Amino acid sequence: MDESKFIQIWVFEPGEAGQEPIGRDELVEWMTARLDRSRVFTEIVEFRSPLAYPVWRTAEHVDVADHIRYLDLDGAGWDGFTAELARIVAAPMDLSRPLWELHAITGVRDVPGIPDDALYIVIKFQHAIGDGVEAVGISRRLFDAPDADVEKPEPEYVPPGLVRQVAAVPGQVVNMLRAARRTKEAVAELDALTASGEIPPAPAAVPNRFNSPASGGAVVVDVARRSLDAAQAARRTVPGVTVNDFALAVVSGAMREYLRHHGELGDDPVVVASPMSLVPLAERRRNPEQASNQFGMILVDLHVQEPDPRVRLEKIAESTAQGKRRSRSAPAMIATTALDDYPWWMARRVVAATHHAVEAGTGISANAMITNVPRGSSDLTFFGRRSLEAFNLSSVHSGFAMSITSLGSELSISFTANAAAMPDPQRFRRALEDSFDALVSALGSTDPDRPTVPVG
């Protein structure tokens, strides 16, 4: 199974004066009462056959206490907290039980904008549970958000017996060959449309220090925190620019500075892969259920060679628009969904070969993965405590992963990287903060009350 994980961090306000701290037994009782909020909490992934895709099965027993960790960092600062997050990210998950963990962390001190007695709740999911939007939905149900969605139960799929699975192999091979042929034809059509100028070309990534795979090495994490209101005000000064474009421009400035510091800022493009909806906004509004999960991966050139923040933002917005046009084209859709028609035994080999190519540095399509998942309003509660902030972390096989998150009026940009690729994560975090400030300034907007995190 893929090693990718979602880690969500929710920060809740301190308890009232004189209130007893939340104990581990209370956490277990609280979580036990909420197991029905999502099937993820009570189901396991079962590999019943090498010929059939794994299936979800309800666990006979869930030992809630075994999924919960309680840790007091005893006055540790931000760097101590991120070190603990790195350990949580790197730790493998036990595939024989439901794929979630809940970590309650206290004792984090001296973080500007966050009270010393705040409670940090870290929820860790394996990527098999769904995408980032689904992970956020699960957490909002868990924390009693008034607008939380209601999970729709899915019928349990029972694969056919082994005899029928073996008998189905010839048909699976035929479907796979047909999908491969469709893909070949789609790629040829895409190349022709690109050559004629009807569809923009995809940017070509060149391996750099960010492409060290996250597996097999020490992991580092950190988070830059800024005002979403400031980002909104700044991006509105450029017609057509979205918050996501703005955040990508912030990332671009940070990567530019980080590569420059290490003497590696050359002429090669820096490309990020970003999952985005392939359905136009108007269609998503007309048919939200049908369009809600139609996502694809677009490639965006960050134009790190451009020194002017405003010009770089405009170029990134154009690159993002081109990526959407290319990804939404019919041949691109056919090519990117071909694996859906592959049987499990072959799909697994394709994924393994892709991972091997990434590790060997011969098969990269991007230098980093960036996700953007809004958390919505901040009206969540935990033992009567209101939520203050939230951010995501992602761990992916390909190495450098970033997550753009918003909760209420807070914008955070977090990252996970291999320590060998990024031995100085605090420098990159400061580069993100400086890039945000420079971009806001270049666009003629200011935010004097923006929150910051301590410099390590």
Side-chain angles (χ1 to χ4, degrees), residues 343-366:
W344 166 245
W345 47 272
M346 181 53 73
R348 184 171 52 184
R349 294 186 64 179
V350 171
V351 172
T354 302
H355 286 174
H356 178 74
V358 169
E359 291 177 349
T362 59
I364 73 160
S365 59

Side-chain angles (χ1 to χ4, degrees), residues 370-448:
I370 297 185
T371 61
N372 182 354
V373 182
R375 296 296 190 89
S377 61
S378 58
D379 51 352
L380 294 84
T381 59
F382 183 74
F383 282 86
R385 307 176 187 211
R386 294 182 300 107
S387 60
L388 299 174
E389 295 188 17
F391 54 92
N392 291 345
L393 291 170
S394 298
S395 173
V396 297
H397 185 90
S398 55
F400 192 47
M402 306 192 71
S403 181
I404 302 165
T405 307
S406 59
L407 179 74
S409 61
E410 178 86 355
L411 177 71
S412 67
I413 303 177
S414 61
F415 59 89
T416 307
N418 190 316
M422 187 174 288
D424 46 358
Q426 294 89 352
R427 176 178 290 278
F428 190 77
R429 186 206 64 223
R430 290 194 296 268
L432 285 169
E433 296 165 352
D434 292 344
S435 178
F436 183 102
D437 297 343
L439 185 55
V440 168
S441 178
L443 297 177
S445 181
T446 59
D447 179 33

